[in-house]
Amino acid sequence: MSSDVIFEAVNLRKQFGALAAVDGVSIQVRRGSLHAIIGPNGAGKTTLFNLMSGNLKPTSGRVLFNGRDITREPVHRTIHFGIGRSFQITNIFPSLTVFENIRLAAQALGRDNFKFWRSATHFTRYEARTWEVIEQVGLTARAHTAARTLPHGDQRKLELGVILAPDPEVLMLDEPTAGMASEQVPELIALIQQIQKTGDKTIMLVEHNMNVVMNVSDTITVMHMGKVLAEGAPAAIAANPAVQTAYLGGLYTLSF
Amino acid sequence: MTANLSPSLWRRWRGLLITLAAALLLPFVVGLLEGQPPTAVLANSAGVSKFVQGLAIEVFIFALYALSYDLIFGITGLLSFGHAMFFAVGAYLTGALIKSFGLPLWQTLIWVTFASVLQALLFSVVLPRVKGITFALVTLGMASVFHLMIMSRELGEFTGADVGLQGMIKPDFLNPATERLRLYYVALALLVTMYYLFKRFVDSPTGRVCVAIRENEGRALMLGYNTFRFKLAALLLSSFAAALAGALYAIYQPIISPHIASLGFTVTALLIILIGGVGTLQGALVGALVYRLLDFGLRRYMGESASFVNGLIYVLIVIFLPYGIVGTWRMKSLQLRQGWAKIGDAIPWKPNDGAAR
């Protein structure tokens, strides 16, 4: 059973002054599952992500990846363990091209980072990987465009491509559809599902779009005020009265 | 693909190759214009050519110095206010070792290399702790300590304190008085070599990460890069180039002036790459030429008001060429090419020359 869990938070706590943004959260992410974290604004979802991806160090508690304690590892090691993380606010290299953004991500885990006497174009395997990913996220036509000039939806795709390039086991997606035009959302969600199924990935997802969450998740964790309010399969969560009052507020009706 | 390679290589390097050819011929062309035969130029006899060579050597020194600043500021995004120290350590060490300790030049250069590594390590100590303007101020502090040391009476025996280091016996084969033509070519060769090295570095996987750090260090960390190591690599290369520029300065100038260790001299590097174009490398070369020639020309023809007019010109450059000469040039030519490509797309019978991608 324990080998079934790939990524785990044990009693995580993060204190910002008097506020416990994450207050004793334990969460187990099963291998190959799509695990969504939902909750109202300020529930601590992104802080939990920051703690698990190493962007923040917890006040107490542990983060385990494949049974290994990675709580105190520096943030640049995260991807080396096999954890890729995207951000709610697009976090890319603005004046570099789409291609270079992804190429840098592909190069990072290789052993060529300090070959300063060779041109980067010499390392064709990173470029091949880059083209693969660019095609996967559907940005081939935009490959040589500066990232900052992309429309927002394409920037979200780029953000996804950047974490796909090193081929991590776990993808942590923080509101991947944030700010996207609603007609673009299904396309991106289909892409995420395809990545999970065909690439045999584990995905952690923070998302506000309830239709999306209910349809794609295997497990949903509901957070409220820094604590876990409920956890379970989508149908159970939707039927949970505590969740209904605390978060869904009765406004959401299930639609399968 | 292969057929495409050589013209694009030529296109990429032609500007520099033409400039290099011009620099190689410059002493003789200037000599001929004055009516001096090439043999007289070869014999280092006095004349306009010799004077122009001297001015050009100063341009090369400034160019190498500014190039080294562009690598850490323009490429890697580290704002250092202590860069003058990198240069001054090279200059003063060369001067003191040759003058006070009688070392031969090659041994001196080994010590200069060693010192350049040490000073880069010194700057890197604070790198993980301070960022942005704080890094600038801490480096300013370190450089100020060095500036004070040079000016101090205690070390005056070696540094000449506030009057500068004078009376260094120049190495025979690079003596700026008797062997200026050779010094000219040595300085040119050094600049070209270092420029090529920098270009290779910036195009390499390491240099690409440095650019990524400038763009968004947080993202570079998340990609899995230990950014400290890349910043250290840039600092090391930059420090080495600046120290070599300083050594060249010590060989060429009759007096090593303490102002080269001051904040003002760091600002000179910043000014040069602002004129030329931050983060372009070529901008350091163009900027150094403009900077030195403007300074020389204005002083010669405008006398007292030179620095006023100088400042005015810099303000105008920053307003009208916000990306510097090279940066603005690149952007305009890119826009032109994209414009032509768009027009080309609209024309149904566009020639298949690969220009419109």
Side-chain angles (χ1 to χ4, degrees), chain A residues 91-97 101 145-149 155, chain B residues 215-216:
Chain A
N91 191 354
I92 47 183
F93 303 119
S95 62
L96 305 185
T97 62
N101 262 281
T145 312
R148 95 171 96 73
T149 63
Q155 288 189 354
Chain B
E215 288 282 303
N216 185 347

Side-chain angles (χ1 to χ4, degrees), chain A residues 195-214:
Chain A
I195 290 162
Q196 184 209 359
K197 298 271 152 54
T198 59
D200 201 21
K201 307 277 184 222
T202 309
I203 294 181
M204 276 183 86
L205 178 70
V206 168
E207 183 56 63
H208 276 301
N209 187 327
M210 277 305 127
N211 280 318
V212 168
V213 170
M214 290 298 163

Side-chain angles (χ1 to χ4, degrees), chain A residues 55 75-76 79-80 85 87 91-96 100 103-105 107-108 112-120 123 144 159 162, chain B residues 197 200-209 211-227 229-230 233 357:
Chain A
N55 290 71
V75 65
H76 64 82
I79 186 73
H80 291 261
R85 194 238 155 121
F87 291 83
N91 191 354
I92 47 183
F93 303 119
S95 62
L96 305 185
E100 183 63 6
R103 202 201 60 79
L104 278 162
Q107 177 196 305
D112 303 307
N113 294 329
F114 284 98
K115 295 193 174 156
F116 57 83
W117 55 91
R118 276 240 148 113
S119 166
F123 301 96
H144 295 291
E159 176 97 27
V162 162
Chain B
L197 207 71
R200 286 298 290 249
F201 179 84
V202 172
D203 286 342
S204 78
T206 321
R208 298 280 189 100
V209 178
V211 173
I213 291 171
R214 176 194 71 196
E215 288 282 303
N216 185 347
E217 183 170 1
R219 185 32 117 180
L221 279 167
M222 285 310 289
L223 290 186
Y225 293 111
N226 185 349
T227 53
R229 294 188 189 171
F230 294 88
R357 279 192 3 131

Side-chain angles (χ1 to χ4, degrees), chain B residues 8 50 61 89 94 98 100 108 124 126 156 186 228 236 269 297 305 329:
Chain B
S8 76
K50 190 170 181 181
I61 293 169
V89 163
T94 305
I98 291 180
S100 305
T108 306
S124 76
V126 298
V186 166
F228 170 75
L236 281 168
S305 51
W329 169 270

